[in-house]
Amino acid sequence: MGIKFVVSDCEGPITVNDNAFELAEHFIEDGKKFFQIVSHYDDILADEIKRPGYNAGSTLKLILPFLKAYGATNPEMEKFSQENVLLVPGARATLGLLQFIMPTYIVSTSYEPYIRALCNLTNFAFNQCYCTSLDLDKHPLNSAEQEKLKQLRLSIVENPDFNNLERIFWEELPKMEIYSLVEEVKPVGGEAKKEAVLDIIDKRDFQASDLMYVGDSITDVQPLSFARENGGIALSFNGNEFAL
């Protein structure tokens, strides 16, 4: 029957950004190291331990209280994202051509402000995107919890031991009021990306074999496998070990 629709991840196939990493580096003290530790922890939970109910890409919810503790707001996240979109060479033309040829979608773990910035830059339709919605400003953070989060960040950076991270993310954070932010955000990664693909198939009356999925990371494993196992095309674009 051939390919009838394309679904692509954003960061990797379309842009060279890691928006969440860049936000952490910009807002959080020693944010580069902090993000790398939490991201590695996320890989362990999703790929090695395979914790039930845990999706790859949940780094994006775990870091949110820390971003807020260091002053990130909705407008500042949007401004930073708009100013820092970096396209893969040829991506703008490719997206334009794909949209002309067949239905094309972006399914990304990235935060919504970043995906909106990408759509504005490339004239891609935002209603053809699935991404991680959030509202930092909806959740108040008192000074005591702000200071506690800064202490926890220091503990993560100085002692990235797995048991310490387990204690912080599943014992310490859930006791805090700001944890409502973590509970509210549902990153579109792993199984959630596959669910987005299924939603597209259902709404457009496609078949699984009509799909070409393009991805590059651990958050794309499930939709890549779904495409391959159902007669579609699974394309790893500059893929890491998980996608490959």
Side-chain angles (χ1 to χ4, degrees):
M1 293 176 62
I3 298 303
K4 292 186 178 178
F5 73 111
V6 176
V7 179
S8 179
D9 180 29
C10 173
E11 296 180 15
I14 299 172
T15 69
V16 297
N17 295 103
D18 185 335
N19 179 245
F21 170 78
E22 292 160 10
L23 286 165
E25 187 176 29
H26 179 72
F27 285 103
I28 299 173
E29 183 179 351
D30 208 0
K32 179 178 180 179
K33 183 176 181 181
F34 169 79
F35 185 90
Q36 289 170 337
I37 291 167
V38 179
S39 181
H40 180 62
Y41 173 65
D42 175 66
D43 289 347
I44 292 172
L45 293 183
D47 187 63
E48 296 182 25
I49 295 176
K50 301 187 189 307
R51 178 167 289 172
Y54 189 89
N55 270 333
S58 288
T59 303
L60 271 73
K61 65 189 299 180
L62 297 179
I63 69 169
L64 286 173
F66 298 92
L67 282 170
K68 189 169 179 70
Y70 281 90
T73 63
N74 289 348
E76 288 180 351
M77 283 185 68
E78 290 169 9
K79 181 176 184 291
F80 180 85
S81 298
Q82 289 168 2
E83 293 174 351
N84 291 279
V85 177
L86 297 173
L87 293 173
V88 170
R92 190 197 310 260
T94 301
L95 282 176
L97 179 61
L98 281 173
Q99 288 185 98
F100 179 75
I101 294 173
M102 68 181 70
T104 302
Y105 301 84
I106 293 173
V107 174
S108 174
T109 313
S110 304
Y111 296 130
E112 182 178 327
Y114 175 75
I115 297 301
R116 286 192 179 276
L118 170 71
C119 290
N120 290 337
L121 182 63
T122 61
N123 293 318
F124 192 86
F126 181 74
N127 63 7
Q128 300 283 96
C129 299
Y130 294 73
C131 57
T132 300
S133 299
L134 77 157
D135 186 349
L136 280 181
D137 298 348
K138 174 182 169 183
H139 299 265
L141 178 65
N142 62 55
S143 57
E145 289 200 348
Q146 182 181 32
E147 184 58 34
K148 176 68 173 179
L149 285 164
K150 291 182 177 182
Q151 293 171 3
L152 292 175
R153 178 212 62 84
L154 182 61
S155 178
I156 289 169
V157 170
E158 292 186 343
N159 179 22
D161 177 76
F162 179 82
N163 290 329
N164 187 44
L165 299 179
E166 288 280 276
R167 177 186 65 82
I168 288 171
F169 287 114
W170 309 113
E171 295 179 26
E172 296 289 338
L173 275 181
K175 296 175 185 176
M176 304 171 71
E177 290 182 18
I178 195 60
Y179 195 70
S180 61
L181 173 59
V182 178
E183 292 179 311
E184 179 181 86
V185 172
K186 309 296 181 187
V188 180
E191 192 65 28
K193 282 192 173 183
K194 176 184 167 184
E195 290 170 3
V197 170
L198 292 173
D199 186 62
I200 295 166
I201 288 172
D202 180 62
K203 287 179 177 177
R204 294 295 301 265
D205 199 28
F206 290 130
Q207 301 297 315
S209 58
D210 299 334
L211 166 67
M212 180 171 80
Y213 186 89
V214 185
D216 75 318
S217 74
I218 191 171
T219 67
D220 299 301
V221 169
Q222 283 89 340
L224 283 168
S225 297
F226 175 79
R228 182 184 59 198
E229 292 164 5
N230 287 278
I233 293 177
L235 175 61
S236 175
F237 182 94
N238 287 340
N240 65 17
E241 59 183 304
F242 301 107
L244 290 171

